[in-house]
Amino acid sequence: MRIPAHSVCTAIRDDIVAGVYERGSRLTEEVLARRYGVSRVPVREALRTLEAEGFVVTRRHAGACVAEPTEQEAADLLEMRTLLEPLGAARAAQRRTEAHLKVLRGLVRLGQERARRGSNEDLRSLGGWFHETLAQASGSTSLTSVLTQLRHKIAWMYTVEAPIGPVESWAEHGAIVDAVARGDAERARALTALHAERATGAHRLRFSPAAERVRTSQHAVNMSGPRH
């Protein structure tokens, strides 16, 4: 597979999120360059970026590896999202453009239509586009970047089992857009906070907390060294 050099970081991140590279597995520049059809230079730059984002760690004698976040680190991401998404919605109510509203309303119409028809295949991607557009409407590049990273990392660490039906979920999306359109920052914040709280309850860790404890315990034993 050959991709543009500037897209290598996105491709590796997407493959990590999709589980192509398992947690803790090595990421060698040579193998990645061959897989994506690029030289090692963009791969090296991509690994630096992904390390800064928390998807990759550099280990002594092993080099770049897929990170192995703990259960607490995963929980922190959900908490951060419940705090930042309402802020983004409130800012969107104050700063959104007509172009943002057009896209948001179009996504809500599509989501509600497919939810009513029971066509759930595309609802997750539509939901992702909705929240990405809502973040962009905040007018804050920094906030949008953080929320995008959070969504990627949460998708990597969790599977989602919807606590409410898709029809109800998209009705909530529609109410958020109505508040944003009216410029009602506090209502947009409150509705998004409720929506995020309900969504949090649907997330289930992809990795086993029990296995994580065993791995951590073994690592501690291996690193303890001889006693004198």
Side-chain angles (χ1 to χ4, degrees), residues 83-112:
L83 295 172
L84 293 179
E85 281 193 343
L87 172 62
R91 293 282 180 86
Q94 299 166 333
R95 303 175 179 176
R96 90 293 184 280
T97 65
E98 288 302 315
H100 289 132
L101 285 178
K102 183 177 181 180
V103 174
L104 287 168
R105 285 169 170 156
L107 289 169
V108 168
R109 281 195 299 272
L110 276 174
Q112 290 179 340

Side-chain angles (χ1 to χ4, degrees), residues 54-101:
F55 289 96
V56 170
V57 295
T58 300
R59 293 176 177 161
R60 189 178 181 183
H61 305 310
C65 300
V66 179
E68 297 181 86
T70 65
E71 183 180 0
Q72 183 58 59
E73 288 170 337
D76 287 346
L77 294 176
L78 291 178
E79 184 175 3
M80 290 169 64
R81 190 181 70 171
T82 61
L83 295 172
L84 293 179
E85 281 193 343
L87 172 62
R91 293 282 180 86
Q94 299 166 333
R95 303 175 179 176
R96 90 293 184 280
T97 65
E98 288 302 315
H100 289 132
L101 285 178

Side-chain angles (χ1 to χ4, degrees), residues 133-149:
T133 305
L134 187 62
Q136 291 171 351
S138 72
S140 170
T141 302
S142 297
L143 182 57
T144 301
S145 177
V146 170
L147 284 170
T148 298
Q149 286 190 36

Side-chain angles (χ1 to χ4, degrees), residues 131-182:
H131 286 287
E132 182 175 348
T133 305
L134 187 62
Q136 291 171 351
S138 72
S140 170
T141 302
S142 297
L143 182 57
T144 301
S145 177
V146 170
L147 284 170
T148 298
Q149 286 190 36
L150 282 174
R151 281 194 299 275
H152 287 152
K153 293 173 84 170
I154 288 170
W156 172 39
M157 298 182 199
Y158 290 93
T159 58
V160 179
E161 302 168 0
I164 58 176
V167 173
E168 291 84 353
S169 179
W170 280 94
E172 292 180 357
H173 286 156
I176 292 169
V177 174
D178 288 342
V180 168
R182 290 197 304 271

